[in-house]
Amino acid sequence: MTKMQNRFNKLRAKMAELGLDAIYVNSAENHLYMSDFDNPDGWIFITKENAHLYADSRYIEAARAEATELCTVCLPGQPTLQEVARDNGVKVIGYEDRRMTCAALEGLKRNFDGMGIEFAPVGGLFTDLRCYKTEDEVENIVLAQRIAEGAFEHICKVLTYDMTEVEVAAELEYYMKKHGSEKPSFDTICVSGSASSRPHGVPRRVKLERGFLTMDYGAMVNGYHSDMTRTVVIGKADADMKKLYNTVLEAQIAAIDAIDVGKNNAEIDKVARDIIYDAGYEGKFGHGLGHGVGLEIHESPNLNPRATELFLAPGQIVTVEPGIYIEGIYGCRIEDMVLVTETGKRNLTNCPKEMIEL
């Protein structure tokens, strides 16, 4: 059985559980997941027996060449959604309520006026399917991660005090693009000095400030993201900075060590949080410990204090990224990606974590 046959079988089993005769897929990530073709403006109509991938004139040639043979590639209206629904006896259509606007849903419904069709939200159906990565998905994520790691090694060699945060971010992205990344996983975070206390700070057009420089970024391969964070020191670290950095590192290593099949997600977060709080930084670690990574940079599962009913399972990939942020002074975060395996875990990140002073 091929990768795509397996996906369609799992999807149709979920459809049967939910009483769905068809699903309308409109999000770019799930379009790629179910077709092997990346089209931000396309959609797929999947029934119990077949799947029609609709691509307009901008994408139709590429779709015919690249999409899985399990999808019939066609121009919009050839055939119409109504015709496909009628031919397949569709009475209930699922839609991506987490990814579709109200206006888009109303537009979808108009395609079936007069047919007496019901529409049902699918909720986390695709999230649940994509939560468990196959070997080829892991391989794509690892390839993306190796590109990002090369960018870190590169920036440590070429960085100068005269560079701005924007220039550092651009250098990281240029390296990744040049070495095989389709595009950045997300808007690169690169903040120095007093701005490093902002977990999702935006790079500024100012020269690098002395102190911590936090770089959070990733590459993309075949639609799959990588995600890593490394914090270095511009200049020399004082005793307080060393304590803060080493606390974050200790918390991160301990949390990774705690990852195992069946472990509670909230408990993994607690391992890191307790170390940080016990070191005197209570309230300075405001975000969750980690999140899933795949076709989206943030997807299931999550590692945070609220994830009390979630348990780690083989095939899941999570980031482990504790941080300490002292407002207006500085901050530090260290992030790896970890795959949960049948026997424990595998750290997918292979990049130095000891403090680097530049």
Side-chain angles (χ1 to χ4, degrees), residues 27-41:
S27 68
E29 293 80 14
N30 291 329
H31 185 290
L32 176 59
Y33 186 71
M34 294 309 304
S35 71
D36 259 351
F37 177 62
D38 186 9
N39 183 354
D41 290 329

Side-chain angles (χ1 to χ4, degrees), residues 212 239-255 271-282 284-285 289 321-324 332-334 353 355:
F212 286 126
D240 289 339
M241 293 174 67
K242 290 178 180 178
K243 177 190 174 185
L244 187 149
Y245 187 97
N246 289 329
T247 300
V248 173
L249 182 58
E250 179 187 355
Q252 203 234 13
I253 292 172
V271 169
R273 201 167 298 276
D274 284 351
I275 290 172
I276 289 172
Y277 285 7
D278 289 346
Y281 300 104
E282 186 166 356
K284 305 302 182 183
F285 175 27
L289 178 65
E321 49 181 304
I324 298 173
C332 167
R333 180 167 65 258
I334 304 171
K353 288 191 281 193
M355 179 184 286

Side-chain angles (χ1 to χ4, degrees), residues 228-274:
M228 68 176 285
T229 306
R230 288 295 183 267
T231 300
V232 299
V233 178
I234 305 300
K236 295 294 182 180
D238 61 25
D240 289 339
M241 293 174 67
K242 290 178 180 178
K243 177 190 174 185
L244 187 149
Y245 187 97
N246 289 329
T247 300
V248 173
L249 182 58
E250 179 187 355
Q252 203 234 13
I253 292 172
I256 292 174
D257 287 344
I259 289 176
D260 202 350
V261 176
K263 286 291 188 71
N264 179 260
N265 293 30
E267 285 300 315
I268 302 299
D269 176 279
K270 187 175 185 299
V271 169
R273 201 167 298 276
D274 284 351

